[in-house]
Amino acid sequence: MGDFKRGKALLNSEAIKNSQVKQSIDYYLRLFQNDKGEEDRKKDYEKLVVNFYDLVTSFYEFGWGESFHFGARFSGEAFEASLARHEMYLANRMSLQKDQLCLDLGCGVGGPARCIARFTEAKIIGVTISPYQITRAEMLTAKAGLNHLCKWVKADFLDLPMEDSSFDAAYQIEASVHAPDRVLLYKEAYRVLKPGSFFAGYEWLMTERYDPDNSAHKEIKSGIEKGNGIPNLLEHPKLVLSALEEAGFEVLDHKDLALECSDDTPWYLPLSASWSLGGFKHTKVGRYLTNRFLYLMETLKLAPDGSVQTSDMLNNAASALVAGGKTKIFTPMYFVLARKPLN
């Protein structure tokens, strides 16, 4: 769970120069410091998202692995197995077949696309706005021997460089939350899909239990946004459904998979558990030890200035996610299945 070898990237930044880490984290945090921040984040979302993933991609790979998402998990199921099943569930619901062409919107370093490609033998094109993630995806895909099935394109998923009606299926896994305009994102997915094709995804949302007048709820929402590069979290599932319909899709199914987790394995367990032999790096103990190690390395000038700030930001994000999960006011896995009509 996670990759210890990626620890060296925490000490020597690969995405940006070591001298720019402090500047990048300071810029990022300023976008969340005042009431005008939301509009600034929406206006400059591309820089926000690239900046965020330049800072955190190595942390994610080190502590989580190649698939940057959560999964609905059942009793007795390993963490990695739950993530793979979560990915293959999308492929199954889209009826993805061998040799079909599928689009991954917001592909990260390509973990889900590689899993789905192995499972279905479909051809996956992954899109990310992050140049660094493209570099990592290409390296990891070559290492996995999947270059014949997976390709990567640096692009904004609000302005795709793909032809109309060119894909047999499309999906996003916890990536749409970075879009400042969901309708525009869904319209782009609609445009590039062939008539009759499926679009599926897992959405980050505030649930029906969220109360915008509750100060504690608002603080949790803000913490999730600040720690995850999000312009603004939608405050009700119906907003996603209406955006899909406005884009032209027919919504076939939708549900919160967080409600299907076993009681002893909620989706936020990997973040809230105090100890896990297999995946301690993303537990509270593991995050604390990583933070203290980075503090020592930064003090000794062996890690770039800003490393501890980045670690602090991610630790605070984890706390907000756990709080959102425990109160059931937030879900990272609201499943949607939609179809582009034949006519």
Side-chain angles (χ1 to χ4, degrees):
M1 192 180 295
D3 185 354
F4 268 111
K5 295 179 182 177
R6 299 302 297 148
K8 64 181 181 181
L10 305 185
L11 302 181
N12 187 24
S13 175
E14 297 174 344
I16 53 179
K17 294 179 180 178
N18 281 0
S19 59
Q20 295 176 332
V21 172
K22 174 66 173 173
Q23 178 183 349
S24 294
I25 186 63
D26 285 345
Y27 163 79
Y28 176 84
L29 294 176
R30 279 198 300 272
L31 290 174
F32 293 88
Q33 284 181 344
N34 55 58
D35 292 337
K36 294 175 63 178
E38 180 182 330
E39 290 307 312
D40 290 341
R41 295 194 297 273
K42 288 183 176 180
K43 181 180 178 181
D44 206 16
Y45 84 96
E46 181 175 352
K47 187 173 181 181
L48 165 69
V49 175
V50 171
N51 190 282
F52 175 74
Y53 280 109
D54 279 350
L55 289 166
V56 307
T57 292
S58 295
F59 280 88
Y60 282 3
E61 285 192 74
F62 172 73
W64 204 262
E66 297 175 16
S67 294
F68 302 168
H69 64 82
F70 294 98
R73 189 173 171 191
F74 304 130
S75 293
E77 185 177 34
F79 173 72
E80 294 91 338
S82 72
L83 297 187
R85 180 176 50 76
H86 205 59
E87 294 159 4
M88 290 185 286
Y89 179 76
L90 278 188
N92 181 59
R93 292 303 305 271
M94 294 187 296
S95 300
L96 194 59
Q97 304 294 316
K98 181 179 180 179
D99 294 328
Q100 285 188 324
L101 186 62
C102 180
L103 181 63
D104 180 336
L105 294 160
C107 62
V109 298
R114 285 186 291 275
C115 176
I116 291 173
R118 288 191 190 98
F119 176 63
T120 64
E121 298 183 83
K123 297 176 181 176
I124 315 291
I125 294 181
V127 170
T128 174
I129 206 168
S130 166
Y132 177 57
Q133 289 189 337
I134 291 287
T135 299
R136 292 294 301 158
E138 289 175 342
M139 192 206 76
L140 292 168
T141 303
K143 184 178 179 180
L146 290 171
N147 280 339
H148 63 297
L149 292 179
C150 300
K151 304 296 181 185
W152 315 104
V153 176
K154 180 193 172 298
D156 182 350
F157 59 18
L158 300 184
D159 186 20
L160 295 168
M162 284 87 177
E163 295 182 1
D164 294 358
S165 303
S166 55
F167 286 87
D168 299 298
Y171 66 86
Q172 67 80 26
I173 299 178
E174 302 184 19
S176 61
V177 71
H178 296 299
D181 186 334
R182 283 292 217 291
V183 175
L184 182 56
L185 169 60
Y186 298 149
K187 282 184 174 180
E188 273 296 270
Y190 183 94
R191 179 182 67 80
V192 302
L193 280 172
K194 297 175 183 177
S197 297
F198 294 110
F199 173 72
Y202 296 122
E203 300 281 351
W204 278 35
L205 295 169
M206 306 310 292
T207 70
E208 295 93 336
R209 297 192 180 204
Y210 175 73
D211 179 1
D213 296 322
N214 183 310
S215 60
H217 287 192
K218 289 171 64 177
E219 184 177 355
I220 290 171
K221 177 177 180 286
S222 177
I224 294 172
E225 291 167 343
K226 183 177 181 179
N228 293 279
I230 300 170
N232 180 48
L233 274 167
L234 296 184
E235 296 184 357
H236 198 284
K238 67 182 180 182
L239 297 175
V240 161
L241 305 180
S242 62
L244 283 164
E245 291 171 346
E246 184 176 344
F249 282 108
E250 174 189 4
V251 178
L252 303 177
D253 193 12
H254 62 95
K255 57 183 176 179
D256 185 1
L257 292 185
L259 302 178
E260 299 184 6
C261 297
S262 298
D263 290 342
D264 61 333
T265 53
W267 63 264
Y268 53 84
L269 180 64
L271 297 176
S272 63
S274 59
W275 175 256
S276 168
L277 182 61
F280 80 94
K281 296 189 294 301
H282 55 63
T283 64
K284 289 188 288 186
V285 171
R287 296 196 307 272
Y288 173 80
L289 292 176
T290 298
N291 182 275
R292 293 300 84 195
F293 173 72
L294 286 173
Y295 176 81
L296 175 61
M297 293 297 100
E298 190 173 323
T299 300
L300 296 174
K301 304 300 182 184
L302 296 176
D305 289 344
S307 297
V308 175
Q309 275 182 283
T310 304
S311 176
D312 287 341
M313 175 191 72
L314 293 175
N315 285 341
N316 292 334
S319 297
L321 287 166
V322 171
K326 287 184 174 181
T327 56
K328 293 182 167 46
I329 65 169
F330 168 78
T331 176
M333 54 187 71
Y334 197 88
F335 169 76
V336 294
L337 177 67
R339 179 170 56 198
K340 180 175 180 177
L342 284 170
N343 299 314

